[in-house]
Amino acid sequence: MRPGAVALASLSLLLLGAAPAGAAGAPPPLPARMRDTGGGTQLVTAVAARTGSTSGTVTWWDRVGGRWVKAGSASARFGAKGLVEGTKRRQGTGTTPTGLYDLPFAFGTGAAPSGTRYPYRAVRQSSWWCEDNDSRSYNRWTDPRPADCRAAESEHLVSYPAQYAHALVIGFNYRTPVRGRGAGIFLHVNGRGATAGCVSVPAADMRRILRWADPARGPHIAVGTTGGATAVTRY
């Protein structure tokens, strides 16, 4: 067909309301392909290529007019030992738990970014995250650290001023903690490399996420892989 004829055919298709080539086959946005998004109108997805990956992508989404729309994305880091199904995770394995979780509250060694709507706790010298399996405060923020929570088995939050400049608690093993499954899983600022099990993003992107997140809209985070048994679409 002559170039002029191609142009006329394309114009005719547009006038008839036909979709441009390729548009009809575009897949729906990731949240629309998920089994569950938590019931809110905001969602964070943290996706790695496979369970052995230590990097991937975090994307945050808004549900607008019945459709999921991407609000932003960032490069992400995962556990040094990759990812594992959340219900099978063991504490101290350096793995990031996959699954769908709520985001209970935010905290930081720095002040809350302007516009933050999430409940935000300031990290002080006395602030700890208890990871002692024998403590009644297991997998809880404590300030000060209780006597039954051993310092050697817990995380002194002020000791990580860069990583915990800003963070969101990921509700993994949080509401009804299972001893030995793991504690202190957060979405936080990047450190020097892979994490001990958390999800991390660059500092500027963590601030963007905190300005975007609205607890009134019920945001959740879905952590998973692009396919397989831990595919993010399964959660």
Side-chain angles (χ1 to χ4, degrees):
M1 186 181 290
R2 300 187 309 277
V6 171
L8 288 172
S10 299
L11 178 60
S12 298
L13 286 171
L14 289 173
L15 289 173
L16 290 170
L30 178 57
R33 291 179 274 131
M34 290 173 57
R35 182 177 297 175
D36 188 7
T37 57
T41 57
Q42 285 189 330
L43 179 71
V44 179
T45 54
V47 184
R50 57 190 66 88
T51 54
S53 301
T54 59
S55 62
T57 304
V58 160
T59 307
W60 48 108
W61 308 81
D62 288 304
R63 189 162 178 81
V64 181
R67 297 173 178 267
W68 286 102
V69 179
K70 184 169 75 171
S73 65
S75 59
R77 293 173 179 168
F78 298 98
K81 299 296 184 180
L83 298 86
V84 69
E85 168 61 46
T87 59
K88 299 178 181 178
R89 185 181 187 271
R90 302 302 298 170
Q91 186 162 324
T93 56
T95 54
T96 297
T98 62
L100 178 68
Y101 308 106
D102 63 353
L103 298 163
F105 63 89
F107 67 88
T109 59
S114 175
T116 299
R117 287 162 287 187
Y118 243 83
Y120 192 91
R121 301 183 186 182
V123 172
R124 305 183 297 182
Q125 186 64 33
S126 54
S127 304
W128 290 74
W129 196 274
C130 184
E131 299 179 4
D132 186 341
N133 279 281
D134 296 326
S135 174
R136 290 171 293 179
S137 300
Y138 178 66
N139 203 19
R140 288 291 183 272
W141 167 291
T142 62
D143 196 342
R145 178 175 55 83
D148 76 338
C149 182
R150 292 170 290 175
E153 298 292 326
S154 300
E155 197 164 40
H156 196 196
L157 299 176
V158 76
S159 298
Y160 303 93
Q163 294 95 321
Y164 295 159
H166 306 295
L168 271 166
V169 175
I170 294 176
F172 166 73
N173 201 31
Y174 186 75
R175 299 300 173 187
T176 308
V178 175
R179 311 286 167 159
R181 182 164 288 172
I185 301 297
F186 313 127
L187 173 61
H188 64 71
V189 176
N190 282 343
R192 293 182 178 179
T195 73
C198 295
V199 179
S200 71
V201 294
D205 293 300
M206 190 67 231
R207 291 192 293 271
R208 291 187 186 100
I209 290 170
L210 283 175
R211 293 188 182 105
W212 160 84
D214 182 355
R217 297 181 62 187
H220 284 65
I221 183 168
V223 183
T225 52
T226 55
T230 55
V232 72
T233 51
R234 293 170 61 93
Y235 299 112

